[in-house]
Amino acid sequence: MSIPRTAKTTTSDLGPLPPASSVRSNDRWLKLAAPFLVGIIFLGGWEAAVRIMAIPPYILPTPSRIIETLISDWPTLAASLRITLAITFSALAAAVVVGGALAILFTQFKWVELALFPYAVILQVTPIVAIAPLIIIWVNDTNLSLLICAWIVAFFPILSNTILGLNSADHNLRNLFELYGATRWQTLRYLRLPAALPYFLAGLKISGGLALIGAVVAEFVAGTGGTASGLAYRILEAQYQLKIPRMFAALTLISLAGVAIFLATSIIAHRLLHRWHESAIKREN
Amino acid sequence: MREASAPSLAPVDPLIRLSGVSKTFSTGTRAVAAVDLDLMPGEFLSILGPSGCGKSTLLRMIAGLGTPTGGEIQWARGHGGGSRHGTRDLGFVFQDPTLMPWANALDNVALPLILEGSAKREAQAAARDKLALVGLSGFENAYPRELSGGMKMRVSIARGLVTEPSLLLMDEPFAALDEITRHRLNHDLLNVWRDVGFTAVFVTHSVFESVFLSQRIVVMAARPGRIVSTLDVAAPYPRDEMFRTSSAYASLCRQASDQLKLAMES
């Protein structure tokens, strides 16, 4: 049914598509080089300062000493890292499932939100350090109690962001769905969930870091009394034994794990949003 | 010039008959007061009026988005769509393109069919046809943000037509576009209309646009929103740039302008 004119108009008023993310290699190089350079200067300064002032390793070890310890103690530290990461990721997964499901439930049934949301807020604002001892006493399984603590810290950003996202679908698009007699399920699937995705992913970025913090804090509280042997436990242990380089090594691993989680969630967000969402698009101007 | 409620153009039944349609918002504002209007099958009708005259509200009520607080909107047999979840025999083009940013042009156009329960393959085939109809072949996989304002509006029109409705309602669809793009879209819209043969209702506040496009112009006044006059545009189709510069066009624009002026003073 094409009309004779269409071909002409297509080429004239439509113009070419904007170029797919033009590669500005200079920018990209700087983006990697600048933080790397800062890191080198910082670590070099640290190394030099400790050596020149002859600070003993039980006060402040040199970066080279920390790396040495990281290598020599690797079997112990790796096992602990695995435990901490297992708790972190289980908690994050639980936060995604429970936070996401509650968000959908809350937006589908207003009365559920009215009834439960205040308790979600209470859970969120109560400091985890204060309730962790109780949870550890109540729950027999130490790993499970740590997981619960990490989950409590991690789930709220996902919940509140996803609720915001589910409610942020464009008003006219909602009218359009109404016009075509969309069912509640269709509106959820084709409109509200996709609209909520950027918000959910922003929540996931925050929760990824929080899950790790929650896991570490809970381990600290469980402390030597617990049977777990995650990285926080290694820090406590090293502190008691004045093995300060080992403490730093464990700390380094926690930081690296946090950075890795942040990068992973950022990559996921970019992958899912780069075709359409404002936040993930490079602009020329 | 004749009253809106006068006998119809030809001895055919109207597609839709509005009788005494009113809308009073809960704030007490009378957005639309006692509108009588027959929409004839296949005609191109414009609703012209200043902003705030209730023309959009009227259009939305015809679409079933919001119910009248008074009067009746009757559809001709077989086009009905009274049931809550039964879809109406119409397409709607909003003032903004109102596309899903996360879906490409093809999926955006296919949406109404998907919502009506069509298989994805069939819905996409129909969507491909309609994208070709509005001159967007080759842009199936483009995302809305990769398209210009005019192209987005074309996608929106293709979506409005994908269910092959008898009626296409357009709410100032080109108001945000530059004049060159708007002229081209007016032109292409007329071609599509003549090609497909749906009934078109086009809300605008542009005198020139309404005269160029329509067979009949309904002029509305504000506070309360009501029809004050109707103007027939007898010029034949196809209308092209020659028509836009003709003296007939100029005098029709003058007439419509006068009516609009009267409407705004009343």
Side-chain angles (χ1 to χ4, degrees):
Chain A
M1 272 203 295
S2 102
I3 45 174
R5 241 159 266 274
T6 46
K8 209 170 81 195
T9 46
T10 313
T11 46
S12 51
D13 84 321
L14 309 177
L17 286 172
S21 73
S22 70
V23 184
R24 283 165 296 172
S25 50
N26 258 351
D27 266 20
R28 191 171 289 179
W29 194 83
L30 195 71
K31 224 172 149 183
L32 287 175
F36 189 70
L37 203 70
V38 170
I40 293 289
I41 291 170
F42 176 73
L43 291 176
W46 176 351
E47 182 88 33
V50 171
R51 279 170 194 265
I52 290 164
M53 293 189 267
I55 300 171
Y58 56 85
I59 303 283
L60 183 66
T62 58
S64 57
R65 180 75 183 268
I66 294 169
I67 293 169
E68 259 169 50
T69 315
L70 209 51
I71 295 165
S72 63
D73 294 4
W74 180 248
T76 325
L77 289 173
S80 300
L81 176 67
R82 221 169 296 133
I83 289 168
T84 302
L85 283 183
I87 293 167
T88 302
F89 283 117
S90 317
L92 187 59
V96 166
V97 172
V98 178
L102 274 183
I104 291 171
L105 194 70
F106 281 11
T107 47
Q108 291 296 302
F109 305 102
K110 195 73 193 160
W111 58 270
V112 181
E113 178 174 9
L114 291 174
L116 292 184
F117 196 74
Y119 297 99
V121 175
I122 290 172
L123 215 53
Q124 162 70 11
V125 296
T126 311
I128 188 65
V129 209
I131 39 174
L134 286 175
I135 293 170
I136 288 162
I137 290 167
W138 291 336
V139 180
N140 274 331
D141 185 335
T142 314
N143 276 339
L144 184 63
S145 62
L146 297 183
L147 194 151
I148 292 172
C149 292
W151 172 79
I152 289 174
V153 184
F155 102 106
F156 193 77
I158 291 185
L159 174 70
S160 66
N161 273 31
T162 310
I163 289 177
L164 187 66
L166 287 167
N167 286 328
S168 72
D170 179 73
H171 180 72
N172 278 335
L173 270 174
R174 284 190 211 195
N175 277 171
L176 187 82
F177 274 69
E178 188 190 330
L179 197 71
Y180 289 110
T183 60
R184 190 183 267 236
W185 162 245
Q186 284 177 324
T187 310
L188 182 67
R189 178 175 167 199
Y190 294 111
L191 178 61
R192 297 179 77 150
L193 285 178
L197 188 63
Y199 296 81
F200 165 79
L201 289 168
L204 184 69
K205 254 190 217 181
I206 301 168
S207 290
L210 285 181
L212 181 67
I213 292 173
V216 170
V217 167
E219 253 181 62
F220 264 116
V221 176
T224 45
T227 50
S229 44
L231 283 174
Y233 178 75
R234 290 290 161 231
I235 291 177
L236 283 176
E237 188 190 50
Q239 192 186 353
Y240 289 137
Q241 300 169 356
L242 269 183
K243 287 182 181 165
I244 305 302
R246 189 185 215 190
M247 195 178 145
F248 270 90
L251 202 58
T252 308
L253 283 181
I254 292 175
S255 296
L256 288 178
V259 171
I261 291 170
F262 178 80
L263 285 178
T265 48
S266 299
I267 289 168
I268 291 171
H270 184 79
R271 276 282 158 83
L272 291 174
L273 301 180
H274 76 283
R275 280 306 293 273
W276 65 275
H277 198 254
E278 214 42 73
S279 68
I281 283 154
K282 285 201 182 80
R283 277 200 169 271
E284 291 290 318
N285 52 5
Chain B
M1 280 295 303
R2 56 192 177 77
E3 287 304 308
S5 54
S8 42
L9 301 159
V12 270
D13 287 331
L15 179 65
I16 297 174
R17 169 161 285 166
L18 281 70
S19 22
V21 170
S22 312
K23 177 83 174 180
T24 308
F25 289 129
S26 50
T27 51
T29 316
R30 284 171 74 202
V32 175
V35 165
D36 295 313
L37 182 64
D38 283 355
L39 300 178
M40 305 312 293
E43 78 168 324
F44 201 120
L45 174 98
S46 284
I47 300 177
L48 176 67
S51 45
C53 74
K55 52 194 191 305
S56 290
T57 310
L58 185 64
L59 197 73
R60 296 172 86 89
M61 283 194 289
I62 297 173
L65 296 168
T67 44
T69 47
E72 245 194 322
I73 298 175
Q74 286 171 292
W75 283 71
R77 261 175 190 287
H79 300 278
S83 70
R84 210 172 97 63
H85 273 304
T87 48
R88 291 171 184 82
D89 186 15
L90 61 85
F92 198 100
V93 179
F94 293 88
Q95 198 168 342
D96 303 311
T98 314
L99 303 175
M100 302 178 291
W102 53 83
N104 61 23
L106 190 68
D107 287 336
N108 264 294
V109 175
L111 176 77
L113 293 174
I114 296 285
L115 293 180
E116 286 179 359
S118 298
K120 191 171 182 185
R121 184 188 295 260
E122 287 156 36
Q124 289 193 336
R128 213 176 291 276
D129 278 356
K130 290 299 176 285
L131 277 174
L133 183 69
V134 298
L136 282 181
S137 284
F139 289 90
E140 288 84 0
N141 294 320
Y143 281 73
R145 59 157 301 113
E146 296 165 347
L147 300 169
S148 70
M151 290 159 87
K152 277 188 250 189
M153 222 57 235
R154 285 170 191 267
V155 175
S156 192
I157 291 169
R159 180 181 59 195
L161 293 173
V162 79
T163 55
E164 317 251 316
S166 308
L167 177 66
L168 185 67
L169 302 170
M170 291 166 277
D171 187 6
E172 300 191 38
F174 309 143
L177 301 176
D178 65 273
E179 188 153 335
I180 297 166
T181 310
R182 183 200 276 231
H183 279 185
R184 190 169 283 132
L185 278 166
N186 280 340
H187 187 269
D188 289 356
L189 174 64
L190 275 186
N191 280 336
V192 171
W193 168 68
R194 276 157 48 79
D195 214 5
V196 181
F198 50 86
T199 307
V201 179
F202 191 98
V203 163
T204 180
H205 54 237
S206 160
V207 167
F208 308 107
E209 197 170 51
S210 67
V211 171
F212 183 77
L213 290 172
S214 24
Q215 295 170 307
R216 198 152 67 104
I217 300 169
V218 167
V219 182
M220 285 186 73
R223 278 173 295 275
R226 66 202 183 277
I227 293 176
V228 288
S229 60
T230 306
L231 184 72
D232 284 320
V233 182
Y237 295 92
R239 295 175 183 172
D240 49 21
E241 294 309 307
M242 290 295 285
F243 175 60
R244 224 187 263 284
T245 50
S246 69
S247 59
Y249 178 74
S251 83
L252 282 163
C253 286
R254 165 68 60 86
Q255 281 180 52
S257 230
D258 289 345
Q259 294 302 328
L260 190 59
K261 206 177 202 176
L262 277 176
M264 288 174 80
E265 283 161 3
S266 68

